[in-house]
Amino acid sequence: MPTYSFTEAELVRFAGTDAAMYLRVQHFGWQLFLFCTLWCCIILIPVHVATGTYVNQQIAAGSDTFSSLDKTSISNLQSKSKAMYADWISVWAISLFLYWQLWRYNTHAVEMRIDYLNSMTGAGTEAQTVMVNDIPEVNKGIMSKLAGAVSGVGDSKKSSRQNSRTGRSAGTELEHFEDAKTGMIHPSDSSDGSYQGPDTLAEPLAAHTTGYAGLLADHQPNQHQQEKPMASNQDPTPSNGAANYHTPRGGFSANPKARAMLDSGLTEEAMVNQEFEELYPSKVQRTQMAYNSQGLNKVYNDFEKTKGKLETVLDTYQMKMELHKKLKKRTMVRVTGAQYGKWGREKYGLKPQKVDALEFYPDRLQELWRNIQEEQGAAKSKALPTAFVTFKDTFTTTVAATSMMHHDLRHWSTRAAPSPRDVLWSNVGFSSATYLGAAVLAWTLFALLAIFYLIPVGAVQALLQVDKLEKYKFFRVIMDVKILSSLITAVLPGIVLTIFLALLPALLSLLNKKVQKMVSETDVEFGVVRKYFAFQVITTFLGSLLVGSFLNQITAFLDNPKGIVNTLGSSAPQTATFFMTYILIQAFIKSPLQLLRLPGLIIFWLKYRFATTPRQKAAVWQDTRLKYGTNVANDTIIMLIGLVYCVIQPIIAPLALIYFGIGVLIWKYQVVYVYVPLVESGGKLWMQIFQHIITAMLFFQIIMIALFGIKKAPGPAVLTAPLPFITLAFLLYNLNLFNRPQVLISNRTAADIDKRQKQGGEQAEPMLQASQVASPAEEAGYVNPDARQHPFRYIPPGFLIESSELEEVVAEAQRVSPQVDAYLADNGHSNGKSNSKKQNKPISRSNDLEAQ
């Protein structure tokens, strides 16, 4: 099907709402600069050329800072020229067109968001789940995580309190872990809304004969405690069958009640469930606590890495035997027992030795599996002050996510939960104060990064001035060739700036994950959008504008420091030449490279060239996941540059039009046929784009006011002055009107979803989601261990590992090992096994796999 013929509905179906929303950025830019091109080229260029004489005068005076191209810009107009009223009219016309377009796009974005929610296939489990932070009396996230790294510190007191509440050990909790994982939904259907126990990792269902009803007994205090008469100051409200506890009256803090609930015998998980049952009777589906699983994650990653190495060895053997290729000896692994702790020292000693890969890897996997089981039990005793509460209907979820749960805002904060596949578990469990401090630190580091990035930007601008380059003999020869001289001075600065910016997105993503502690991939991606756009405004736009203007007129500044304002008024528009080449590079070089994906192709070819087994070749496939962080910021910065300069230098408008025209065709093809979205927010992306466009409008209007003032045209300056205030009012009105519907589910929409769900009526045609679309590697049978997530439950990947995975790969190793011996014997080679535990022969690294 031709790319251009896809409708928006088809884009939503095949690529998702966020992808369709991103395509709307391209359409918005194309429509904006089509209008600007027609208006500015028809009206402003004739005015600037016909009425301006300043550039001709400067060229006649021997100035080399102006060219014939500057005759089309506002630089050509003399100070106090009446022709600048045409520029004033143009600023108002473009601003009014933008207000109208933004209103249309905002309303349609809300409609797309509602359609996404009504489809019920886009939201999934997160549509009925809230994320609860700052749970009182539960270990603080950062302190718990730091303490988890120091074994035994403060564990005795914690363990005694934990055991007094649970009445059983962590090991018992995990005896029937498989049943707890595979249970999909076990609603508490009691009509009185009594708490019937959480359906999570901590509560194995098979341990109790009556399922949820059996779990109730685990949270009940003993009989004589239940029969005690209630004190006069005790909460008269029944405790939902979980435990009787003393509820302190009044007070600001949420801690006393939480402490009373925990001291009564409730687990942290039961406390959270009961708290929500009291607020939303009979509406809670399940509660799942977050746990400090750093130790578990380390062992889990080691298990996956070792398992991958064993699978590679098995694949290599099987491939060579099936194809009757030469096999001289068995694969050996260089093992140093000390690096594997007590197990390694006892089994292999302290000195390096060779061990058969089909012996070492299965043994190591079995030891890691035992460690995983221990770490799972240990993690269950390290609850974090975060939980995921799933409700039975969307309406209750919406109310819970948007309500103030407690007047003590330090505790019980709620938000809409991200998708289970979207959660970054290493960043879950910190307090709100910690997240705030992390955000301040991240933005401080970002500001320092932007300041330091201005140094190479300024250096490039300085070095690429013609008079600077001609000092070097090599460049002097090149500058003598007119074509090469023009190419270097026009194109090279933009290429160098593009290279500098290409290194930034990965750094910003790392900043969001590791420093700012964002809890989901969506938050990380949207954080990159914000930071990358702000960074480009500071470095690409303001840095190039100010540095370029200064360097272009440095001699004039030194000769007449008092005339700096007037000099800037004439030289600042000259930086349009740099931005014109920058847009051309983005349009004709970077955009086609996006279509070719040449860097990815080269990396793929190199990796595929050295892959030896089918599983390795499947793993080579690059995940073609679409990340919006850099793409959105790149498009909106082009929009900002084109908008700011479309009146100053009208020729930039058709160049921006070409950029977005190419973008419409390329990205429609990419999102349909190539990329799969990394995340799916259901259209939340648009409000970030809207704010970027408003930022571009404000720069456009303020710079034009300043330029009119520098050009001593008070009339146009005064008449343009209201525009920034109108834009700010437009921003506030639109945020008030459209931001909440873009971020939250309205009560009306939630009620409609629940009504349709109960009636079993027709739903909207389902869209394909990122979690439903397999990458080429997944289609080839390779599954990235880092992507292991339960599709319906909020469970860290370390808890999802199955014993069958170990059993299957060990059984395969046991099956292949004698086949390898027989194959070697048939070909007249020795099996090369190392049967001695203390064999310490000199080790050659050739033909051996490293165990490290």
Side-chain angles (χ1 to χ4, degrees):
M1 190 180 203
T3 302
Y4 60 83
S5 63
F6 272 94
T7 64
E8 186 176 84
E10 290 171 330
L11 286 172
V12 170
R13 171 168 169 73
F14 290 109
T17 305
D18 279 343
M21 200 72 75
Y22 176 64
L23 262 295
R24 288 182 64 78
V25 180
Q26 308 294 329
H27 285 285
F28 184 93
W30 188 85
Q31 293 169 359
L32 168 63
F33 288 106
L34 177 62
F35 174 81
C36 292
T37 297
L38 295 175
W39 179 280
C40 296
C41 292
I42 293 174
I43 296 176
L44 287 184
I45 289 180
V47 171
H48 290 169
V49 173
T51 62
T53 59
Y54 182 80
V55 172
N56 285 333
Q57 293 174 0
Q58 293 297 315
I59 293 176
S63 173
D64 58 355
T65 59
F66 291 91
S67 66
S68 298
L69 186 64
D70 293 317
K71 294 179 182 179
T72 61
S73 72
I74 199 172
S75 298
N76 198 34
L77 299 180
Q78 295 282 0
S79 298
K80 301 181 181 180
S81 172
K82 298 297 183 183
M84 275 185 276
Y85 278 99
D87 297 276
W88 161 69
I89 294 173
S90 299
V91 175
W92 270 91
I94 293 170
S95 297
L96 292 174
F97 178 81
L98 274 168
Y99 295 143
W100 174 64
Q101 280 288 86
L102 285 172
W103 179 265
R104 288 177 57 242
Y105 274 73
N106 283 345
T107 53
H108 188 67
V110 173
E111 293 170 357
M112 292 178 67
R113 173 70 175 165
I114 294 173
D115 290 342
Y116 167 84
L117 295 171
N118 283 329
S119 72
M120 280 304 295
T121 59
T125 305
E126 70 269 22
Q128 294 181 202
T129 303
V130 297
M131 183 178 178
V132 188
N133 289 313
D134 303 308
I135 300 172
E137 289 300 303
V138 179
N139 290 330
K140 303 303 180 185
I142 190 167
M143 296 307 297
S144 174
K145 291 187 177 185
L146 291 175
V150 183
S151 176
V153 178
D155 284 350
S156 58
K157 292 184 179 180
K158 178 183 172 185
S159 298
S160 62
R161 184 176 181 183
Q162 177 80 9
N163 292 335
S164 69
R165 294 199 299 266
T166 61
R168 59 186 181 275
S169 67
T172 305
E173 288 180 340
L174 291 167
E175 286 177 0
H176 301 281
F177 180 65
E178 301 299 325
D179 295 326
K181 286 194 299 183
T182 55
M184 297 302 297
I185 295 179
H186 300 273
S188 54
D189 294 326
S190 61
S191 59
D192 61 352
S194 61
Y195 171 65
Q196 297 192 17
D199 170 27
T200 63
L201 309 178
E203 309 299 334
L205 304 183
H208 313 288
T209 57
T210 56
Y212 258 74
L215 285 176
L216 180 60
D218 292 325
H219 296 287
Q220 291 276 16
N222 58 43
Q223 186 66 28
H224 77 273
Q225 287 176 323
Q226 289 184 347
E227 293 175 354
K228 284 183 179 180
M230 185 178 297
S232 60
N233 62 344
Q234 194 170 352
D235 187 0
T237 305
S239 59
N240 293 335
N244 291 323
Y245 57 91
H246 172 78
T247 304
R249 293 183 177 276
F252 173 78
S253 176
N255 284 312
K257 180 182 178 182
R259 190 179 304 115
M261 295 174 75
L262 293 174
D263 290 340
S264 71
L266 291 179
T267 63
E268 291 92 344
E269 195 168 74
M271 176 189 71
V272 175
N273 193 296
Q274 183 163 322
E275 184 73 16
F276 277 87
E277 279 284 1
E278 291 176 0
L279 296 174
Y280 310 100
S282 303
K283 296 294 185 180
V284 178
Q285 185 78 54
R286 59 177 173 267
T287 301
Q288 294 171 257
M289 291 295 296
Y291 297 95
N292 182 1
S293 56
Q294 286 187 342
L296 173 61
N297 292 338
K298 183 178 181 299
V299 180
Y300 163 74
N301 292 332
D302 197 2
F303 180 91
E304 290 292 344
K305 183 178 178 180
T306 305
K307 178 169 167 280
K309 290 181 178 180
L310 176 56
E311 289 171 341
T312 299
V313 173
L314 293 170
D315 289 346
T316 302
Y317 278 146
Q318 291 175 338
M319 182 190 67
K320 288 187 175 182
M321 289 188 293
E322 289 173 2
L323 300 177
H324 303 287
K325 289 189 175 182
K326 188 175 182 181
L327 182 62
K328 293 183 177 181
K329 62 179 181 177
R330 296 174 67 99
T331 302
M332 309 299 289
V333 179
R334 184 175 184 266
V335 177
T336 303
Q339 73 179 98
Y340 298 105
K342 181 180 178 181
W343 172 83
R345 291 193 299 271
E346 292 179 351
K347 193 170 183 66
Y348 299 106
L350 299 176
K351 296 181 179 180
Q353 61 178 284
K354 286 183 177 181
V355 182
D356 185 358
L358 293 187
E359 293 179 2
F360 171 75
Y361 288 137
D363 288 347
R364 182 59 182 160
L365 285 175
Q366 290 172 352
E367 174 64 19
L368 289 172
W369 176 251
R370 288 189 288 270
N371 294 340
I372 285 174
Q373 291 177 307
E374 293 173 1
E375 290 294 341
Q376 286 177 345
K380 296 302 296 179
S381 65
K382 301 174 184 177
L384 296 173
T386 296
F388 297 90
V389 180
T390 301
F391 295 92
K392 297 178 181 178
D393 57 72
T394 310
F395 184 86
T396 306
T397 308
T398 302
V399 174
T402 57
S403 300
M404 183 174 69
M405 186 170 172
H406 198 279
H407 53 259
D408 183 358
L409 298 182
R410 298 170 299 175
H411 300 294
W412 295 113
S413 59
T414 59
R415 55 163 282 183
S419 165
R421 295 178 179 273
D422 200 21
V423 176
L424 295 173
W425 290 101
S426 60
N427 292 345
V428 170
F430 296 98
S431 66
S432 295
T434 302
Y435 285 122
L436 178 61
V440 172
L441 177 60
W443 279 102
T444 302
L445 293 175
F446 169 78
L448 294 174
L449 179 66
I451 292 172
F452 281 112
Y453 242 76
L454 284 174
I455 298 173
V457 170
V460 168
Q461 290 278 359
L463 290 174
L464 294 178
Q465 298 296 313
V466 176
D467 57 337
K468 301 289 185 183
L469 292 175
E470 287 180 343
K471 293 180 180 179
Y472 303 97
K473 183 177 180 180
F474 173 76
F475 285 106
R476 193 182 309 123
V477 175
I478 295 178
M479 292 302 172
D480 292 337
V481 182
K482 189 172 182 180
I483 296 178
L484 294 178
S485 175
S486 301
L487 184 65
I488 288 176
T489 55
V491 177
L492 194 56
I495 293 177
V496 173
L497 182 59
T498 301
I499 293 172
F500 272 123
L501 293 175
L503 305 175
L504 189 64
L507 188 59
L508 295 179
S509 180
L510 190 67
L511 189 69
N512 290 337
K513 286 182 180 180
K514 301 300 183 182
V515 179
Q516 196 163 345
K517 300 296 181 184
M518 293 183 173
V519 298
S520 70
E521 290 287 357
T522 301
D523 292 342
V524 170
E525 198 66 17
F526 286 7
V528 173
V529 172
R530 284 189 294 271
K531 290 184 175 69
Y532 195 50
F533 177 75
F535 190 91
Q536 292 221 58
V537 169
I538 295 171
T539 58
T540 303
F541 179 67
L542 292 177
S544 299
L545 174 64
L546 297 177
V547 174
S549 299
F550 177 80
L551 291 173
N552 281 334
Q553 297 292 337
I554 187 170
T555 304
F557 288 161
L558 296 176
D559 293 341
N560 184 18
K562 295 182 179 179
I564 184 172
V565 174
N566 293 331
T567 306
L568 277 176
S570 59
S571 64
Q574 291 179 266
T575 57
T577 303
F578 167 76
F579 288 120
M580 289 164 63
T581 59
Y582 180 76
I583 293 176
L584 285 173
I585 290 169
Q586 299 294 313
F588 291 109
I589 297 179
K590 190 173 181 180
S591 293
L593 284 178
Q594 286 280 4
L595 189 62
L596 294 174
R597 294 188 297 143
L598 191 58
L601 177 62
I602 295 172
I603 294 172
F604 169 80
W605 181 84
L606 290 174
K607 289 184 176 181
Y608 199 86
R609 182 73 176 80
F610 293 100
T612 58
T613 68
R615 200 191 305 263
Q616 285 179 325
K617 291 180 179 179
V620 165
W621 281 96
Q622 300 295 311
D623 279 343
T624 52
R625 303 291 182 179
L626 176 59
K627 296 185 177 182
Y628 298 105
T630 56
N631 295 320
V632 170
N634 283 332
D635 294 334
T636 50
I637 197 66
I638 295 295
M639 207 175 293
L640 183 149
I641 292 170
L643 190 59
V644 167
Y645 279 93
C646 66
V647 173
I648 296 174
Q649 175 51 282
I651 293 177
I652 207 169
L655 300 181
L657 177 65
I658 293 171
Y659 172 86
F660 284 105
I662 294 174
V664 168
L665 294 177
I666 287 179
W667 282 108
K668 185 175 284 190
Y669 175 85
Q670 297 285 68
V671 300
V672 172
Y673 293 111
V674 178
Y675 288 109
V676 175
L678 177 67
V679 295
E680 177 59 66
S681 68
K684 293 180 183 179
L685 183 66
W686 174 255
M687 291 314 295
Q688 293 232 17
I689 299 167
F690 167 70
Q691 294 176 45
H692 290 185
I693 297 172
I694 290 293
T695 302
M697 288 183 67
L698 289 171
F699 271 108
F700 167 53
Q701 294 161 356
I702 292 172
I703 287 177
M704 288 308 302
I705 293 171
L707 199 56
F708 288 144
I710 291 172
K711 286 284 189 177
K712 299 179 181 179
V718 171
L719 293 173
T720 310
L723 274 177
F725 299 100
I726 297 173
T727 302
L728 288 173
F730 181 79
L731 169 65
L732 295 175
Y733 181 72
N734 277 263
L735 287 178
N736 183 60
L737 190 63
F738 297 115
N739 191 52
R740 283 172 61 83
Q742 279 284 316
V743 176
L744 305 172
I745 304 175
S746 69
N747 290 346
R748 177 71 268 164
T749 301
D752 290 341
I753 292 173
D754 292 335
K755 181 179 179 181
R756 185 172 60 254
Q757 197 172 29
K758 289 179 180 178
Q759 293 176 348
E762 294 183 1
Q763 296 183 355
E765 187 177 19
M767 66 187 75
L768 295 177
Q769 299 303 312
S771 60
Q772 297 172 308
V773 181
S775 68
E778 292 167 339
E779 291 176 351
Y782 171 78
V783 179
N784 185 354
D786 295 335
R788 185 198 298 268
Q789 288 288 348
H790 196 291
F792 307 109
R793 304 295 289 278
Y794 290 87
I795 302 173
F799 284 103
L800 292 173
I801 189 169
E802 305 281 352
S803 60
S804 59
E805 298 180 40
L806 172 67
E807 295 166 358
E808 289 174 3
V809 72
V810 171
E812 187 178 1
Q814 293 172 347
R815 178 182 60 82
V816 171
S817 184
Q819 295 178 1
V820 174
D821 288 337
Y823 187 83
L824 288 169
D826 292 342
N827 289 272
H829 298 289
S830 63
N831 59 25
K833 280 190 177 182
S834 174
N835 297 318
S836 173
K837 174 183 174 182
K838 297 297 182 178
Q839 182 180 7
N840 294 316
K841 295 180 180 180
I843 296 173
S844 173
R845 292 180 180 266
S846 60
N847 300 321
D848 290 337
L849 290 177
E850 295 293 335
Q852 305 173 22

